[in-house]
Amino acid sequence: MADAHSNNNHVPVLFSFSVFSRPSSVPVGSGYEVLIQKFLSIYGYQIDVHRKLVLQYFSEEWGQYIDLPKGFTVSEKCRLRLVPLQMDITTLGNLSPATTVFFCCDMQERFRPAIKYFGDIISVGQRLLQGARILGIPVVVSEQYPKGLGSTVQEMDLTGAKLVFPKTKFSMVLPEVEAALAEIPGVRSVVLFGVETHVCIQQTALDLIGRGFEVHIVADATSSRSMMDRMFALERLARTGIIVTTSESVLLQLVADKEHPKFKEIQNIIKASAPESGLLSKV
């Protein structure tokens, strides 16, 4: 029997995914397909459609969530949750151009004299942007308070970037960025680089993993004003499950095979080793 508060033959339902729960409603008699579509309309890109998902409802009889029985339809007020099954460990850390986006964070002129190894970070950032253009990977670029801190340094070629936006918040994860991500079908991984490691990079990475993305931080393309802040941030982020990697590793992972049609172009980018930007000396 439908809940007394339902209107126009709609039934109130609480839709839960990950740590989120949002009330909504569906027509009486809605089954599995309608419910899945409702979850997607509510949570959008946060749901990785490439993973196997299990739909469950809260059973008053058992006092816990149980798998949706075959032929289930909504007839009264209820609680539902969508559970992604554990990803096969062999897929963790893999990068594919079709499911990856690059985030370039706050590589601005006013930071040039303050950031450790900023010239090296620019050089490696250029490699990543060039690789993104070759492989057709979308690029999202932020600029922290550009009125006061200036635009992205001229050496960084932003041609073809999907989004270049100003911000005052430290994290790049703002509504316009979430909207841009929602326009990229199947995006799963974010390759993140820029400054500063312990502030904007760290807060962006934590916001992204909280939304279900796999985050790869390019250690040789991110820095801070002090090496202490930089190195402690990278260690902390690695402990949270974020992948701390290098530019060459990222680019070669994305082509995956010497027979890839773009391999030669990527090989030309990395022919000369990237500068180590103080990562080995940690001083």
Side-chain angles (χ1 to χ4, degrees), residues 210-222:
R211 286 161 171 77
F213 290 99
E214 184 177 79
V215 180
H216 298 244
I217 292 179
V218 187
D220 54 336
T222 181

PDB file of all heavy atoms in Angstrom, residues 210-222:
ATOM      1  N   GLY A 210      36.481  11.376  -2.299  1.00  0.00           N
ATOM      2  CA  GLY A 210      35.208  11.353  -1.598  1.00  0.00           C
ATOM      3  C   GLY A 210      34.022  11.228  -2.532  1.00  0.00           C
ATOM      4  O   GLY A 210      32.938  10.818  -2.122  1.00  0.00           O
ATOM      5  N   ARG A 211      34.243  11.560  -3.797  1.00  0.00           N
ATOM      6  CA  ARG A 211      33.197  11.449  -4.814  1.00  0.00           C
ATOM      7  C   ARG A 211      33.368  10.204  -5.672  1.00  0.00           C
ATOM      8  O   ARG A 211      32.718  10.059  -6.705  1.00  0.00           O
ATOM      9  CB  ARG A 211      33.175  12.708  -5.671  1.00  0.00           C
ATOM     10  CG  ARG A 211      32.569  13.902  -4.944  1.00  0.00           C
ATOM     11  CD  ARG A 211      32.961  15.217  -5.607  1.00  0.00           C
ATOM     12  NE  ARG A 211      32.218  16.342  -5.041  1.00  0.00           N
ATOM     13  CZ  ARG A 211      32.482  16.908  -3.877  1.00  0.00           C
ATOM     14  NH1 ARG A 211      33.477  16.435  -3.129  1.00  0.00           N
ATOM     15  NH2 ARG A 211      31.771  17.929  -3.435  1.00  0.00           N
ATOM     16  N   GLY A 212      34.275   9.339  -5.274  1.00  0.00           N
ATOM     17  CA  GLY A 212      34.403   8.045  -5.939  1.00  0.00           C
ATOM     18  C   GLY A 212      35.402   7.983  -7.080  1.00  0.00           C
ATOM     19  O   GLY A 212      35.491   6.961  -7.762  1.00  0.00           O
ATOM     20  N   PHE A 213      36.183   9.045  -7.292  1.00  0.00           N
ATOM     21  CA  PHE A 213      37.173   9.022  -8.359  1.00  0.00           C
ATOM     22  C   PHE A 213      38.486   8.415  -7.862  1.00  0.00           C
ATOM     23  O   PHE A 213      38.834   8.520  -6.692  1.00  0.00           O
ATOM     24  CB  PHE A 213      37.455  10.441  -8.871  1.00  0.00           C
ATOM     25  CG  PHE A 213      36.313  11.048  -9.623  1.00  0.00           C
ATOM     26  CD1 PHE A 213      35.450  11.940  -9.006  1.00  0.00           C
ATOM     27  CD2 PHE A 213      36.078  10.718 -10.954  1.00  0.00           C
ATOM     28  CE1 PHE A 213      34.384  12.503  -9.688  1.00  0.00           C
ATOM     29  CE2 PHE A 213      35.018  11.278 -11.644  1.00  0.00           C
ATOM     30  CZ  PHE A 213      34.163  12.164 -11.015  1.00  0.00           C
ATOM     31  N   GLU A 214      39.216   7.787  -8.789  1.00  0.00           N
ATOM     32  CA  GLU A 214      40.573   7.347  -8.501  1.00  0.00           C
ATOM     33  C   GLU A 214      41.500   8.499  -8.863  1.00  0.00           C
ATOM     34  O   GLU A 214      41.421   9.046  -9.960  1.00  0.00           O
ATOM     35  CB  GLU A 214      40.906   6.105  -9.323  1.00  0.00           C
ATOM     36  CG  GLU A 214      42.268   5.520  -9.015  1.00  0.00           C
ATOM     37  CD  GLU A 214      42.523   4.258  -9.808  1.00  0.00           C
ATOM     38  OE1 GLU A 214      42.869   4.378 -11.002  1.00  0.00           O
ATOM     39  OE2 GLU A 214      42.358   3.158  -9.261  1.00  0.00           O
ATOM     40  N   VAL A 215      42.381   8.879  -7.948  1.00  0.00           N
ATOM     41  CA  VAL A 215      43.218  10.065  -8.139  1.00  0.00           C
ATOM     42  C   VAL A 215      44.683   9.665  -8.259  1.00  0.00           C
ATOM     43  O   VAL A 215      45.208   8.916  -7.438  1.00  0.00           O
ATOM     44  CB  VAL A 215      43.039  11.062  -6.976  1.00  0.00           C
ATOM     45  CG1 VAL A 215      43.915  12.299  -7.194  1.00  0.00           C
ATOM     46  CG2 VAL A 215      41.570  11.474  -6.852  1.00  0.00           C
ATOM     47  N   HIS A 216      45.336  10.194  -9.303  1.00  0.00           N
ATOM     48  CA  HIS A 216      46.765   9.996  -9.526  1.00  0.00           C
ATOM     49  C   HIS A 216      47.434  11.359  -9.409  1.00  0.00           C
ATOM     50  O   HIS A 216      47.186  12.258 -10.228  1.00  0.00           O
ATOM     51  CB  HIS A 216      47.033   9.420 -10.920  1.00  0.00           C
ATOM     52  CG  HIS A 216      46.418   8.079 -11.156  1.00  0.00           C
ATOM     53  ND1 HIS A 216      47.168   6.948 -11.394  1.00  0.00           N
ATOM     54  CD2 HIS A 216      45.114   7.675 -11.188  1.00  0.00           C
ATOM     55  CE1 HIS A 216      46.362   5.916 -11.568  1.00  0.00           C
ATOM     56  NE2 HIS A 216      45.111   6.336 -11.451  1.00  0.00           N
ATOM     57  N   ILE A 217      48.272  11.547  -8.391  1.00  0.00           N
ATOM     58  CA  ILE A 217      49.001  12.803  -8.226  1.00  0.00           C
ATOM     59  C   ILE A 217      50.391  12.637  -8.833  1.00  0.00           C
ATOM     60  O   ILE A 217      51.117  11.697  -8.502  1.00  0.00           O
ATOM     61  CB  ILE A 217      49.105  13.199  -6.747  1.00  0.00           C
ATOM     62  CG1 ILE A 217      47.705  13.574  -6.214  1.00  0.00           C
ATOM     63  CG2 ILE A 217      50.061  14.378  -6.566  1.00  0.00           C
ATOM     64  CD1 ILE A 217      47.687  13.967  -4.764  1.00  0.00           C
ATOM     65  N   VAL A 218      50.745  13.552  -9.727  1.00  0.00           N
ATOM     66  CA  VAL A 218      52.036  13.475 -10.417  1.00  0.00           C
ATOM     67  C   VAL A 218      53.081  14.179  -9.564  1.00  0.00           C
ATOM     68  O   VAL A 218      53.163  15.409  -9.536  1.00  0.00           O
ATOM     69  CB  VAL A 218      51.941  14.102 -11.818  1.00  0.00           C
ATOM     70  CG1 VAL A 218      53.242  13.846 -12.589  1.00  0.00           C
ATOM     71  CG2 VAL A 218      50.745  13.532 -12.588  1.00  0.00           C
ATOM     72  N   ALA A 219      53.905  13.395  -8.869  1.00  0.00           N
ATOM     73  CA  ALA A 219      54.831  13.944  -7.871  1.00  0.00           C
ATOM     74  C   ALA A 219      55.836  14.912  -8.475  1.00  0.00           C
ATOM     75  O   ALA A 219      56.206  15.907  -7.846  1.00  0.00           O
ATOM     76  CB  ALA A 219      55.561  12.802  -7.162  1.00  0.00           C
ATOM     77  N   ASP A 220      56.296  14.635  -9.710  1.00  0.00           N
ATOM     78  CA  ASP A 220      57.283  15.526 -10.324  1.00  0.00           C
ATOM     79  C   ASP A 220      56.631  16.714 -11.035  1.00  0.00           C
ATOM     80  O   ASP A 220      57.310  17.492 -11.705  1.00  0.00           O
ATOM     81  CB  ASP A 220      58.214  14.766 -11.274  1.00  0.00           C
ATOM     82  CG  ASP A 220      57.480  13.961 -12.338  1.00  0.00           C
ATOM     83  OD1 ASP A 220      56.309  13.600 -12.111  1.00  0.00           O
ATOM     84  OD2 ASP A 220      58.082  13.675 -13.396  1.00  0.00           O
ATOM     85  N   ALA A 221      55.321  16.873 -10.866  1.00  0.00           N
ATOM     86  CA  ALA A 221      54.615  18.019 -11.456  1.00  0.00           C
ATOM     87  C   ALA A 221      53.785  18.743 -10.405  1.00  0.00           C
ATOM     88  O   ALA A 221      52.792  19.395 -10.726  1.00  0.00           O
ATOM     89  CB  ALA A 221      53.725  17.565 -12.615  1.00  0.00           C
ATOM     90  N   THR A 222      54.181  18.606  -9.141  1.00  0.00           N
ATOM     91  CA  THR A 222      53.499  19.338  -8.079  1.00  0.00           C
ATOM     92  C   THR A 222      54.514  19.738  -7.018  1.00  0.00           C
ATOM     93  O   THR A 222      55.469  19.003  -6.751  1.00  0.00           O
ATOM     94  CB  THR A 222      52.362  18.503  -7.442  1.00  0.00           C
ATOM     95  OG1 THR A 222      51.723  19.273  -6.427  1.00  0.00           O
ATOM     96  CG2 THR A 222      52.876  17.215  -6.840  1.00  0.00           C
TER      97      THR A 222
END
